[in-house]
Amino acid sequence: MIKVLVVEDDPMVGKLHEHYLTQIKGFQLCDIVRNSDEALKIMQTKEYNLVILDIFMPGMDGLQLLAKIREQEYDVDVIIVSAANDKDKIKAALRLGAFDYIIKPF
């Protein structure tokens, strides 16, 4: 079972992730958090296999969170799902080890 954490500040988009993840066998949506600070806090106590991450969020953005995830050596894959479509952000995410980068709307 792939345990998933969604980091998304928009509740409607979070519900979309929840809807799709509950329909895919082998994936378990464990938590949805609305910002990077909440994500870092919950990752200290729970293990995930996959983080679905937005870039644009209040406070620490998704790229900064991804850098912290790598810095703290969490053993987790990250897929970016974001409206950020400029090539510098995409390159930065991939260099930080994002497994994939999906541009909203998809």
Side-chain angles (χ1 to χ4, degrees):
M1 186 67 64
I2 297 172
K3 297 177 184 175
V4 182
L5 169 65
V6 173
V7 185
E8 171 62 62
D9 67 324
D10 184 329
M12 195 164 61
V13 176
K15 284 288 186 193
L16 283 172
H17 289 306
E18 180 179 7
H19 173 76
Y20 287 111
L21 285 168
T22 57
Q23 294 183 20
I24 303 171
K25 289 185 182 191
F27 285 79
Q28 177 186 9
L29 175 60
C30 296
D31 296 289
I32 299 176
V33 296
R34 297 208 180 179
N35 62 56
S36 296
D37 291 329
E38 288 179 31
L40 286 173
K41 187 175 181 179
I42 201 165
M43 290 180 76
Q44 292 174 0
T45 61
K46 291 184 171 183
E47 289 188 25
Y48 301 95
N49 306 106
L50 176 63
V51 174
I52 297 178
L53 176 62
D54 190 11
I55 297 290
F56 297 127
M57 291 183 287
M60 183 188 329
D61 73 21
L63 288 178
Q64 293 168 313
L65 174 58
L66 180 53
K68 290 222 179 256
I69 288 170
R70 296 303 178 226
E71 182 181 293
Q72 294 179 17
E73 298 182 352
Y74 287 110
D75 185 22
V76 65
D77 290 320
V78 176
I79 296 175
I80 304 288
V81 179
S82 180
N85 63 0
D86 65 273
K87 67 179 180 179
D88 291 334
K89 288 203 183 321
I90 296 168
K91 281 183 181 180
L94 295 175
R95 286 182 180 141
L96 285 167
F99 182 78
D100 203 352
Y101 195 110
I102 300 170
I103 300 171
K104 295 187 240 180
F106 49 86

